[in-house]
Amino acid sequence: MCYDIASATLAKLKYAQHRADDPEYIKQIEDELKKISASLHPYYTVNGFAHPGLLVFTNHQPYLPQVFSWGLIPSWSRSLDEAIACSQLTINARGETIFTKPTFKQSARFKRCLVYADGFFEYFHFNKQAYPFFIKHPLGDPLIFAGLWDEWVDQSTGVLYQTCTIVTTVANPLLKKIHVKPGLEEARMPVILNKSEQDIWLQTSIDEQDSSLINPLLKPYSDQLLAHTVKKLKGKQAPGNSPEAIMPFEYPELALLGI
DNA sequence: CCAGACGTTGTT
DNA sequence: GTCTGG
DNA sequence: CCAGACGTTGTT
DNA sequence: GTCTGG
């Protein structure tokens, strides 16, 4: 599951260096990031249901940073109502079925992207309370999620909607430990790609129909991640969209659990 | 064949 | 307890 | 997914 | 656009 993420502006320039090795590409990406910075709001925490604009690199323009709304709207949507209703249910896409589900099939084959984030949140449930953990890269590098994108034009207004979804897979050991909830059978996590996997994910030109290169990428992240509890993301005591949202915050009642 | 759905997480 | 909104 | 509401009649 | 249910 991946419904809450962080993606703050200060880190955005750093993202450029992770997308490219060539200094010329890095410069190009940084320049473009400055241009689109007005639409790249800093998110220390943001929920998928708010459909924020996320920083993506698509297979069509692998070195062009773009802002796509979170919650995929398929190109065949027939009305704004239908499109909005759909986007509530396409915040995530199950990696196991992206090549078969009608909503994702075309995107899985032709419209893949990288979604950049500082980290994501997952809840640990204890005593009927939900304790949010922030999960991030040990060195503070961006986490790069496997994403799908699509474009839909509202025929009644002519407005173009560029949207994306984050692909999920089964949880790795760390996320299994965090994502504990009574009755929960299968914990999940976003697909996080390393450098070489990112390049493969964006390679849709070789054989568009061949999923055998892509399916091996849809697995739990095996490198190290860091996790710590943070203040509640929502509700009266929540710090809201501020740096405090991702700062470590201890819950005394969890101290003895060894979490 | 047409009409209508097309999804996730977590749930029973 | 259960549904809805975000 | 979690947080918060969950109702009526009639009022400002 | 593409799949499923009837």
Side-chain angles (χ1 to χ4, degrees):
Chain A
M1 180 273 284
C2 180
Y3 281 178
D4 301 273
I5 70 161
S7 179
T9 299
L10 281 180
K12 298 272 161 57
L13 289 179
K14 193 175 181 180
Y15 294 174
Q17 293 153 19
H18 284 266
R19 177 76 283 269
D21 300 316
D22 187 332
E24 202 170 310
Y25 276 139
I26 292 174
K27 178 82 168 63
Q28 200 174 304
I29 292 169
E30 286 180 345
D31 287 348
E32 190 63 29
L33 278 170
K34 281 171 196 156
K35 276 193 230 165
I36 62 174
S37 61
S39 50
L40 272 178
H41 303 290
Y43 293 121
Y44 296 95
T45 174
V46 70
N47 183 265
F49 290 100
H51 307 298
L54 302 182
L55 176 67
V56 303
F57 292 86
T58 70
N59 58 310
H60 283 188
Q61 313 236 46
Y63 297 104
L64 179 72
Q66 292 179 278
V67 181
F68 280 31
S69 294
W70 191 3
L72 188 140
I73 297 173
S75 60
W76 39 260
S77 297
R78 284 177 294 233
S79 70
L80 188 57
D81 282 352
E82 195 180 274
I84 288 169
C86 187
S87 71
Q88 306 295 314
L89 301 164
T90 55
I91 291 162
N92 293 152
R94 290 179 67 87
E96 295 89 334
T97 52
I98 54 170
F99 284 101
T100 51
K101 296 281 184 185
T103 300
F104 299 124
K105 192 174 186 174
Q106 294 300 315
S107 294
R109 290 172 61 192
F110 306 116
K111 297 176 179 176
R112 299 196 290 266
C113 63
L114 305 176
V115 178
Y116 277 55
D118 297 335
F120 64 101
F121 299 87
E122 186 57 79
Y123 290 90
F124 174 74
H125 293 259
F126 176 68
N127 266 356
K128 295 183 178 176
Q129 289 277 309
Y131 299 93
F133 276 74
F134 184 58
I135 298 106
K136 61 177 186 176
H137 190 275
L139 304 175
D141 289 346
L143 294 186
I144 293 148
F145 301 140
L148 304 176
W149 61 277
D150 207 347
E151 291 179 322
W152 174 66
V153 176
D154 183 347
Q155 291 304 131
S156 66
T157 61
V159 175
L160 170 69
Y161 291 80
Q162 296 178 302
T163 57
C164 64
T165 186
I166 293 171
V167 179
T168 65
T169 185
V170 292
N172 68 11
L174 175 68
L175 268 295
K176 273 182 184 158
K177 217 168 110 184
I178 295 170
H179 197 172
V180 171
K181 187 178 180 178
L184 176 62
E185 284 179 10
E186 182 199 51
R188 300 191 59 86
M189 70 181 295
V191 172
I192 302 169
L193 302 174
N194 65 32
K195 188 75 183 81
S196 62
E197 293 170 333
Q198 292 157 33
D199 293 332
I200 298 169
W201 185 251
L202 292 190
Q203 278 287 337
T204 54
S205 56
I206 299 170
D207 183 349
E208 308 278 18
Q209 307 204 36
D210 191 0
S211 57
S212 63
L213 285 176
I214 293 309
N215 281 330
L217 308 182
L218 304 176
K219 55 175 173 39
Y221 193 62
S222 56
D223 291 349
Q224 205 192 342
L225 292 169
L226 286 187
H228 60 75
T229 46
V230 294
K231 287 193 170 181
K232 301 286 169 126
L233 300 181
K234 304 191 222 174
K236 294 179 189 103
Q237 289 143 40
N241 184 27
S242 79
E244 201 186 348
I246 59 173
M247 281 167 47
F249 179 79
E250 300 292 330
Y251 293 89
E253 61 268 41
L254 299 185
L256 295 175
L257 297 177
I259 294 296

